[in-house]
C-alpha cells in the first residue's frame, strides 16, 4: 500500500535535499491533523479499491491495513461492496460531498459517512471518506421507534377496547329484552308445552351470547368486578392445583412459588381467568409433550426498565409467569397477540379472545404484561401487578360485619330507561314481582312524576346512561324530593362506569344487563334492604 509516509525520505550523502523545511513541516502537520481526528479516515483508489491512506483512528478499529483493498480491510469482504459509492460520487457528486449511513458488518457499528472525490498527487481522482460513529444515536432512535410503536399499539388496543365496550353495551340491551320476554313466557307455560323447550333454547342461546359480551367488556375494562386483597402465592397455587388435573400425562406442569410473592388487589375470578387463559395458551403451544412452568415473585422496577415499556411505571410489583417450551411465536404474531379475535388456531378451535381478555384484566388492575418468545423454543408471559400493602385481616373483618336493615310493605319503584323495549320488559317483570311501577323515558319525566306523586317512592331503578344527565345526577335530584328513596342502577356496561362521587355507600347497588327476573328480584331486595320482594 502506498501510504503517506510517517517521515519524509532521509537525505543521502552527496545528494541535494529535495525536501525543504517548509515541506517537512507541512507533511508533519498534515499527519498530525489526520491522526488528531477521532473518526476513521481513509483514501482509496476508485478503480482498484486499493487503500492509499488511513489515519490512526481507523487503525485502532481494524488494525494495520497491510496492503489490503478497502472492502477487505473495512468490511472483510472478498469482493467490492454492493453499496460502494465510487460510481455515484464520480458521476453525480464530482467535487461535492456525498453523505450516507451504513452498518459495518465487521464491528456491527453504524457510521455516517462523508465521501468525496479528491485529486491525488499523481493526477488521478481518488475517494476520500470520513466515517463518524453514530451507533449510540442509532440505538436511541431505534429505542424511540420501539416506544412509539408500543404507544401506537396501546392506543390501538384502547380504541378497540372502547369499540368492543360500546358494542357489548348495545348488545346487552337487546339481550335484556330477549331475556325478559323469554322469562315471562316460560313462567306462563307448563314444561310439557310444545313451546316450552323452544323458549328454553332461546334463553340458553341468549345466556351464551351474554357470556361473549362479558368477555368483550373484560377486554374493554368495563366489566363489573369485585377486587379483593389476595396473597398472590396462595391464589395462584389454588388455581394451579385445579389446572394440574387438566394436564395430559406427557406434559409437566411445574409450580415454583416465590419466597415472597406479595399481595395484590384484584377480583379473584379475574386472576383465575388470567391464569387459565395463559395456561390454555401454553398447553396448546406445547402440543402432546412439553413443559409448563408457573412461578411467582416480587420485583422492583426502576426507571430504566420502565422507560422501554409503554404503560409501565416504577415501583414494586408482584409477578407471576406462565412459560412453556412449545412452538413459540414470531414477531408478526407477537405484534397482534392481544388483539380481539386474532388467533393462529384452526377454524373452530379458538375464538381469539383469551389473550385479549388477559390484556384487559391486567391493564384494568394497573399492571402490564411482558412477553418473550422464540420460534421453536417457547414463550413466557410475565404478568406484573402492583403490590398492595393493605392489611388482609382488616378486609376479612369488614366482609363479615354489617347486615342490611329490613323493609317491607307495598313498594313503589320509579323506572327510568330511554330504551322503550327495555323499559317495557322491565315494567312487566317488576309488576310480576308485585311492585307498583312508575315508568319514565327521560330524567325530566322522572322528576315530574316524582314531584306529582303524593305517596312514597321506595326505589329508583335507572339506567346509568340517560339523555341529558346521568343516573347519578338523576338520583341526586330525586333524593331532594323523596329523601328515603333507594337506588338501583342498571346498564349494559358494568358498575365501573358509574360516577360514584357524592353517592352514599348504601346507594351503590348495580345490576348489569341482561338480567333475569330472579336476578332483578334479588338485587331489588338488596337495594331495599328487605328479605322479601
Amino acid at each position: 500500500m502506498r501510504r503517506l509516509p510517517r517521515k519524509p525520505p532521509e537525505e543521502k550523502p552527496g545528494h541535494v535535499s529535495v525536501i525543504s523545511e517548509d515541506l517537512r513541516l507541512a507533511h508533519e502537520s498534515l499527519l498530525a491533523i489526520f491522526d488528531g481526528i477521532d473518526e476513521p479516515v481513509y483514501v482509496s483508489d476508485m478503480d482498484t479499491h486499493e487503500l492509499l491512506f488511513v489515519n490512526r483512528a481507523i487503525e485502532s478499529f481494524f488494525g494495520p491495513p497491510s496492503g489490503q483493498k478497502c472492502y477487505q480491510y473495512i468490511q472483510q469482504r472478498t469482493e467490492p461492496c454492493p453499496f460502494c459509492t465510487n460510481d455515484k460520487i464520480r458521476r453525480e457528486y464530482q467535487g461535492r460531498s456525498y453523505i450516507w449511513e451504513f452498518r459495518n458488518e465487521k464491528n456491527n457499528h453504524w457510521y455516517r459517512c462523508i465521501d468525496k472525490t479528491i485529486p491525488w498527487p499523481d493526477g488521478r481522482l481518488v475517494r476520500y471518506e470520513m466515517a463518524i460513529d453514530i451507533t449510540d444515536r442509532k440505538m436511541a432512535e431505534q429505542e424511540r421507534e420501539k416506544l412509539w410503536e408500543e404507544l401506537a399499539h396501546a392506543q390501538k388496543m384502547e380504541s378497540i377496547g372502547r369499540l368492543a365496550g360500546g358494542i357489548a353495551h348495545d348488545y346487552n340491551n337487546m339481550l335484556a329484552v330477549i331475556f325478559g320476554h323469554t322469562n315471562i313466557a316460560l313462567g306462563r307455560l307448563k314444561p310439557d308445552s310444545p313451546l316450552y323447550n323452544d323458549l328454553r333454547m332461546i334463553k340458553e342461546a341468549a345466556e351464551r351470547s351474554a357470556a361473549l359480551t362479558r368477555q368483550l367488556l373484560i377486554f374493554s375494562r368495563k366489566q363489573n368486578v369485585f377486587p379483593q386483597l389476595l396473597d398472590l402465592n396462595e391464589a395462584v397455587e389454588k388455581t394451579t392445583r385445579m389446572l394440574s388435573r387438566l394436564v395430559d400425562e406427557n406434559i409437566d406442569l411445574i409450580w415454583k412459588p416465590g419466597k415472597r410473592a406479595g399481595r395484590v388487589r384484584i377480583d379473584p375470578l379475574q386472576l383465575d381467568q388470567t391464569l387459565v387463559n395463559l395456561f390454555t395458551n401454553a398447553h396448546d403451544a406445547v402440543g402432546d409433550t412439553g413443559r409448563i412452568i408457573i412461578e411467582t415473585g416480587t420485583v422492583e422496577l426502576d426507571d430504566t426498565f420502565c422507560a422501554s415499556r409503554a404503560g409501565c411505571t416504577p415501583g414494586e410489583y408482584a409477578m407471576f409467569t406462565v412459560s412453556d417450551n412449545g412452538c413459540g411465536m414470531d414477531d408478526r404474531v407477537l405484534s397482534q397477540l392481544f388483539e380481539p379475535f386474532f388467533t393462529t388456531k384452526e377454524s373452530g378451535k379458538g375464538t381469539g379472545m383469551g389473550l385479549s381478555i388477559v390484556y384487559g384484566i391486567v391493564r384494568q388492575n394497573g399492571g402490564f404484561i411482558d412477553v418473550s418468545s422464540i420460534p421453536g423454543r417457547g414463550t413466557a408471559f410475565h404478568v406484573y401487578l402492583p403490590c398492595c400493602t393493605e392489611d388482609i385481616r382488616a378486609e376479612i373483618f369488614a366482609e363479615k360485619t354489617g347486615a342490611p336493615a329490613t323493609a317491607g310493605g307495598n313498594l313503589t319503584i320509579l323506572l327510568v330507561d330511554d330504551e322503550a323495549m327495555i323499559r317495557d320488559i322491565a315494567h312487566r317483570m317488576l309488576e310480576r314481582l308485585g311492585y307498583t311501577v312508575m315508568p319514565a323515558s327521560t330524567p325530566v319525566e322522572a322528576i315530574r312524576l316524582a314531584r306529582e306523586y303524593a305517596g312514597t317512592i321506595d326505589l329508583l331503578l335507572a339506567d346509568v346512561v340517560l339523555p341529558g344527565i346521568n343516573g347519578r345526577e338523576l338520583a341526586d335530584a330525586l333524593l331532594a324530593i323523596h329523601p328515603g328513596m333507594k337506588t338501583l342502577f342498571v346498564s349494559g356496561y358494568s358498575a365501573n362506569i358509574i360516577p360514584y362521587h357524592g353517592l352514599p355507600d348504601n346507594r351503590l347497588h348495580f345490576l348489569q344487563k341482561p338480567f333475569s327476573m330472579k336476578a332483578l328480584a334479588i338485587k331489588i331486595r338488596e337495594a331495599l334492604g328487605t328479605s322479601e320482594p
Side-chain angles (χ1 to χ4, degrees):
M1 180 186 71
R2 290 175 292 167
R3 182 181 180 222
L4 193 66
R6 289 286 159 187
K7 294 181 180 180
E10 296 182 1
E11 300 176 10
K12 296 182 179 180
H15 284 250
V16 178
S17 173
V18 295
I19 300 179
S20 67
E21 186 61 26
D22 289 343
L23 184 58
R24 185 188 301 277
L25 289 173
H27 169 85
E28 292 177 353
S29 299
L30 181 62
L31 286 176
I33 290 170
F34 278 101
D35 285 342
I37 299 174
D38 292 331
E39 308 295 345
V41 175
Y42 72 92
V43 178
S44 64
D45 186 283
M46 300 182 73
D47 295 317
T48 66
H49 302 281
E50 179 187 2
L51 280 172
L52 303 175
F53 172 80
V54 294
N55 70 342
R56 294 289 190 202
I58 200 169
E59 288 186 345
S60 67
F61 277 107
F62 304 112
S66 66
Q68 299 178 38
K69 309 278 189 181
C70 60
Y71 56 82
Q72 294 173 332
Y73 178 54
I74 297 171
Q75 290 283 358
Q76 286 190 323
R77 290 176 174 269
T78 58
E79 296 180 354
C81 303
F83 48 82
C84 181
T85 62
N86 282 352
D87 291 340
K88 188 176 187 69
I89 60 175
R90 181 156 44 192
R91 184 178 62 253
E92 302 175 24
Y93 288 84
Q94 190 65 251
R96 294 182 295 119
S97 296
Y98 171 59
I99 301 174
W100 60 294
E101 295 179 0
F102 85 105
R103 183 177 64 85
N104 188 291
E105 297 177 0
K106 183 174 181 179
N107 62 4
N108 205 31
H109 279 224
W110 277 92
Y111 292 94
R112 184 173 187 262
C113 301
I114 304 172
D115 291 1
K116 191 175 182 178
T117 57
I118 60 173
W120 204 238
D122 57 11
R124 58 180 161 164
L125 283 177
V126 297
R127 173 188 173 206
Y128 163 91
E129 178 173 285
M130 179 168 69
I132 302 170
D133 194 322
I134 57 170
T135 305
D136 290 342
R137 193 197 79 188
K138 275 289 183 181
M139 291 181 66
E141 289 176 355
Q142 291 172 357
E143 194 63 37
R144 282 196 299 271
E145 184 177 347
K146 178 183 176 183
L147 286 174
W148 275 114
E149 288 176 355
E150 289 183 356
L151 177 61
H153 183 262
Q155 291 173 336
K156 174 184 175 183
M157 297 295 286
E158 199 71 31
S159 298
I160 295 173
R162 286 194 294 270
L163 176 62
I167 292 172
H169 168 265
D170 293 342
Y171 194 46
N172 275 342
N173 278 341
M174 295 302 100
L175 285 174
V177 178
I178 296 172
F179 262 127
H181 283 288
T182 306
N183 274 304
I184 290 175
L186 285 170
R188 292 175 174 174
L189 295 175
K190 294 181 179 179
D192 59 354
S193 169
L195 291 177
Y196 190 90
N197 191 57
D198 292 337
L199 289 170
R200 186 176 59 81
M201 295 296 290
I202 292 173
K203 181 181 178 183
E204 289 180 3
E207 288 172 346
R208 293 179 64 181
S209 299
L212 178 60
T213 60
R214 281 194 292 273
Q215 290 182 333
L216 288 172
L217 286 171
I218 289 173
F219 171 75
S220 65
R221 291 181 255 166
K222 292 176 179 175
Q223 171 67 316
N224 193 22
V225 295
F226 303 95
Q228 297 178 24
L229 199 57
L230 304 176
D231 181 283
L232 188 61
N233 265 351
E234 292 179 2
V236 174
E237 185 176 11
K238 288 179 183 177
T239 307
T240 303
R241 282 202 303 267
M242 180 270 292
L243 294 173
S244 65
R245 303 186 186 100
L246 307 176
V247 179
D248 299 335
E249 292 181 359
N250 295 327
I251 297 177
D252 294 327
L253 177 60
I254 303 171
W255 163 232
K256 293 183 177 180
K259 292 183 179 179
R260 189 178 68 88
R263 296 193 294 266
V264 294
R265 178 170 287 280
I266 187 173
D267 187 321
L269 293 179
Q270 284 190 316
L271 183 60
D272 288 345
Q273 193 167 14
T274 299
L275 280 166
V276 169
N277 281 334
L278 292 179
F279 167 81
T280 302
N281 195 69
H283 190 278
D284 292 341
V286 298
D288 296 330
T289 59
R291 182 181 66 252
I292 300 173
I293 301 174
I294 300 177
E295 51 191 318
T296 59
T298 53
V299 291
E300 185 75 30
L301 302 182
D302 57 18
D303 293 325
T304 303
F305 181 91
C306 295
S308 61
R309 290 163 175 82
C312 176
T313 56
E316 187 179 16
Y317 286 81
M319 180 188 73
F320 64 89
T321 299
V322 179
S323 58
D324 64 75
N325 63 343
C327 59
M329 296 174 283
D330 57 25
D331 291 339
R332 182 191 67 82
V333 174
L334 284 171
S335 67
Q336 298 176 269
L337 196 57
F338 298 112
E339 295 180 9
F341 306 112
F342 172 77
T343 179
T344 58
K345 298 175 184 176
E346 297 177 13
S347 178
K349 292 190 176 181
T351 63
M353 287 297 295
L355 291 178
S356 64
I357 289 172
V358 169
Y359 178 89
I361 288 174
V362 174
R363 296 294 291 160
Q364 184 180 31
N365 288 279
F368 71 98
I369 309 174
D370 213 14
V371 186
S372 57
S373 186
I374 301 175
R377 296 180 60 183
T379 301
F381 286 86
H382 307 279
V383 178
Y384 298 83
L385 297 171
C387 279
C388 194
T389 57
E390 299 175 45
D391 190 348
I392 293 180
R393 291 172 299 175
E395 181 156 310
I396 294 174
F397 176 78
E399 290 176 354
K400 291 183 178 180
T401 58
T406 59
N410 186 21
L411 304 177
T412 300
I413 295 178
L414 177 56
L415 169 64
V416 188
D417 199 305
D418 59 319
E419 288 279 352
M421 288 189 295
I422 297 174
R423 188 172 64 254
D424 176 67
I425 191 61
H427 188 171
R428 294 174 63 183
M429 293 170 74
L430 291 170
E431 285 186 336
R432 287 181 64 83
L433 291 171
Y435 296 106
T436 300
V437 185
M438 299 169 55
S441 61
T442 66
V444 173
E445 184 182 4
I447 293 172
R448 179 183 60 79
L449 290 174
R451 285 174 176 165
E452 294 174 354
Y453 189 67
T456 299
I457 298 179
D458 300 283
L459 178 72
L460 169 66
L461 179 62
D463 196 354
V464 176
V465 181
L466 293 168
I469 61 176
N470 60 46
R472 182 193 66 79
E473 293 167 335
L474 175 61
D476 288 339
L478 293 175
L479 267 180
I481 304 171
H482 294 270
M485 182 188 69
K486 302 292 175 41
T487 304
L488 173 59
F489 292 112
V490 295
S491 178
Y493 289 123
S494 73
N496 295 350
I497 70 164
I498 301 175
Y500 287 143
H501 304 295
L503 280 174
D505 289 342
N506 63 356
R507 287 171 55 204
L508 296 182
H509 297 282
F510 178 81
L511 178 62
Q512 186 171 341
K513 302 174 186 176
F515 48 81
S516 64
M517 191 181 302
K518 179 179 179 181
L520 177 62
I522 292 172
K523 278 295 181 180
I524 289 175
R525 289 200 298 270
E526 289 179 3
L528 292 172
T530 61
S531 58
E532 300 293 339

